[in-house]
Amino acid sequence: MKPVLVSGIQPTGNLHLGNYLGALKNFVELQNSGKYECYFFIADLHSMTEEYNPKEKQKQIVNVALDYLAAGLDPKKSVIFQQSAIPAHTELMWALNTITPMGELRRMTQFKDKSEDIAENTNVGLFNYPVLMAADILLYDAKVVPVGHDQLQHLELTRTLARKFNTKFGKTFFEPAPKMTEVTRLMSLDDPTKKMSKSRPAGCVFIDDAPEVIRKKIMSAVTDSEREVGFDKENRPAMANLLTLYSAMSGKSIDALVAAYRGKGYADFKRDLAETVITSLTPFQKRKRVLAKDAKGIKAIMEKGNKKALKVSEKKMEVVKKKLGLA
Ligand code: TRP
């Protein structure tokens, strides 16, 4: 049997290039490697920890499903499902809550950052968000979890909880390993010291942006006062970021790009970069537009994925309940 791989994306609005390169594109490559039994879900329960408009949520959920499919996730190869449709996620979370020390959760950097950002909405869900994430992973006996840097600490907690549960109640869970393929970390185009984020829209290229919007954002990206394109992460972070983006979208190495732009100005470089981004997003955007017209088809795909996830997760919960003495 192939090792199980689990990951998810929260439905909170449009994905940007950072999410695309850091998660989505990576998911498709992992799926197509044929090495894993893949589960990709829409982390709608996690997304509830941030203030949201319930009238928008359905659209956001469908949007992630469309992103998954348009990017190349294939329901024949991967189980694609919606977290909230699978009761076992919250059920297992409860069991894990009872073995999670408060101190472990208080240390989580994402919780500390978010509870500062949104002090007025520091809810308990935000606090035990990592426990729900552990449940997402352990429920499917995942061995491999592709995540960005910001989620590594949560994965470490998942391992700790698996170990603790196994020690207390007998061997039940695998300890999953993070899958840190060379994930591209994109910075904001208007400030290379900040991560690309939808909260900085001017420096953020969304994967649904129209060509003219992409062109405008890239042409107005900050650079530096040097004359030539060059890669120096420390001293020239803005150019390093643009080169990283160019390389990731074109498949060309940074060295090759630097060589190609020797003697040329930044305007040429940016113009080509914009066209490269537009060209590589076009097939995705086209597929997404076509898929979006088939609401029924999307629903059917999700239902099929939910059914499979439900079956696997219920079986696991039976084992868990026995171990816990509940059944
Ligand atoms: N917390 C993850 C993020 O924001 C999303 C997520 C939820 C996830 N559950 C997961 C990722 C389980 C991997 C595995 O990026």
Side-chain angles (χ1 to χ4, degrees):
M1 239 183 42
K2 292 179 192 174
V4 173
L5 179 154
V6 171
S7 200
I9 292 181
Q10 292 189 54
T12 50
N14 288 334
L15 298 186
H16 56 66
L17 283 179
N19 308 129
Y20 178 71
L21 295 170
L24 204 49
K25 198 160 167 264
N26 204 13
F27 289 0
V28 177
E29 278 159 21
L30 288 163
Q31 166 196 270
N32 291 342
S33 77
K35 286 198 266 184
Y36 308 101
E37 190 180 328
C38 294
Y39 289 79
F40 295 109
F41 65 96
I42 301 166
D44 53 355
L45 296 174
H46 277 104
S47 76
M48 290 165 65
T49 57
E50 283 180 44
E51 204 66 57
Y52 71 98
N53 178 355
K55 292 204 180 85
E56 300 273 299
K57 206 37 121 189
Q58 274 302 311
K59 219 169 35 197
Q60 293 176 330
I61 290 168
V62 172
N63 193 41
V64 175
L66 290 171
D67 284 338
Y68 277 169
L69 298 168
L73 289 188
D74 177 351
K76 288 199 197 77
K77 296 183 190 161
S78 298
V79 183
I80 300 169
F81 69 98
Q82 184 180 349
Q83 187 186 31
S84 66
I86 315 299
H89 287 246
T90 42
E91 245 183 306
L92 180 57
M93 172 186 70
W94 181 256
L96 296 175
N97 270 342
T98 65
I99 60 162
T100 308
M102 300 266 288
E104 289 274 349
L105 295 183
R106 261 192 223 109
R107 291 195 302 113
M108 296 289 136
T109 11
Q110 180 174 299
F111 172 70
K112 286 196 272 189
D113 290 349
K114 287 207 175 167
S115 50
E116 267 171 39
D117 288 354
I118 46 164
E120 70 289 354
N121 185 25
T122 307
N123 58 79
V124 175
L126 204 56
F127 186 64
N128 77 348
Y129 175 118
V131 185
L132 178 59
M133 187 162 157
D136 299 337
I137 296 167
L138 299 179
L139 199 47
Y140 300 94
D141 291 326
K143 287 210 172 119
V144 174
V145 184
V147 283
H149 278 273
D150 61 330
Q151 300 294 315
L152 275 183
Q153 205 184 16
H154 295 164
L155 207 62
E156 202 42 58
L157 175 76
T158 304
R159 294 165 60 83
T160 305
L161 295 180
R163 224 175 298 131
K164 197 162 172 194
F165 191 103
N166 289 345
T167 310
K168 248 182 129 153
F169 303 104
K171 175 93 184 92
T172 311
F173 296 120
F174 281 114
E175 281 182 48
K179 174 95 190 157
M180 295 297 297
T181 33
E182 227 1 273
V183 183
T184 319
R185 258 187 121 187
L186 282 191
M187 308 309 281
S188 181
L189 298 185
D190 66 341
D191 180 352
T193 64
K194 306 240 161 64
K195 233 168 80 165
M196 186 175 279
S197 145
K198 63 178 181 294
S199 58
R200 302 185 62 83
C204 181
V205 176
F206 294 99
I207 59 180
D208 297 322
D209 276 347
E212 58 276 16
V213 176
I214 297 178
R215 238 172 248 128
K216 195 165 155 224
K217 285 177 180 167
I218 290 181
M219 293 313 285
S220 42
V222 296
T223 49
D224 55 33
S225 50
E226 300 282 327
R227 292 239 180 90
E228 256 189 0
V229 171
F231 189 82
D232 179 346
K233 223 171 172 163
E234 204 140 300
N235 300 307
R236 304 178 61 188
M239 281 314 285
N241 187 44
L242 293 181
L243 276 163
T244 302
L245 173 61
Y246 203 151
S247 167
M249 297 304 279
S250 65
K252 292 179 188 152
S253 74
I254 288 182
D255 285 347
L257 289 169
V258 171
Y261 286 94
R262 201 158 289 140
K264 294 192 189 158
Y266 284 173
D268 282 334
F269 172 79
K270 282 178 164 179
R271 210 169 297 129
D272 293 350
L273 169 58
E275 294 319 308
T276 301
V277 171
I278 291 165
T279 315
S280 49
L281 287 180
T282 303
F284 164 83
Q285 293 185 346
K286 273 195 186 143
R287 277 196 296 271
K288 189 167 171 181
R289 271 196 296 272
V290 174
L291 286 162
K293 289 190 192 131
D294 182 15
K296 266 199 198 136
I298 300 294
K299 202 163 166 231
I301 289 173
M302 297 295 297
E303 272 167 10
K304 188 172 154 251
N306 289 347
K307 222 165 149 184
K308 168 85 203 252
L310 206 58
K311 204 168 134 202
V312 175
S313 63
E314 278 176 352
K315 208 166 142 215
K316 187 74 187 181
M317 271 320 284
E318 266 176 43
V319 175
V320 171
K321 283 186 175 168
K322 280 214 180 82
K323 298 271 184 185
L324 290 168
L326 299 174

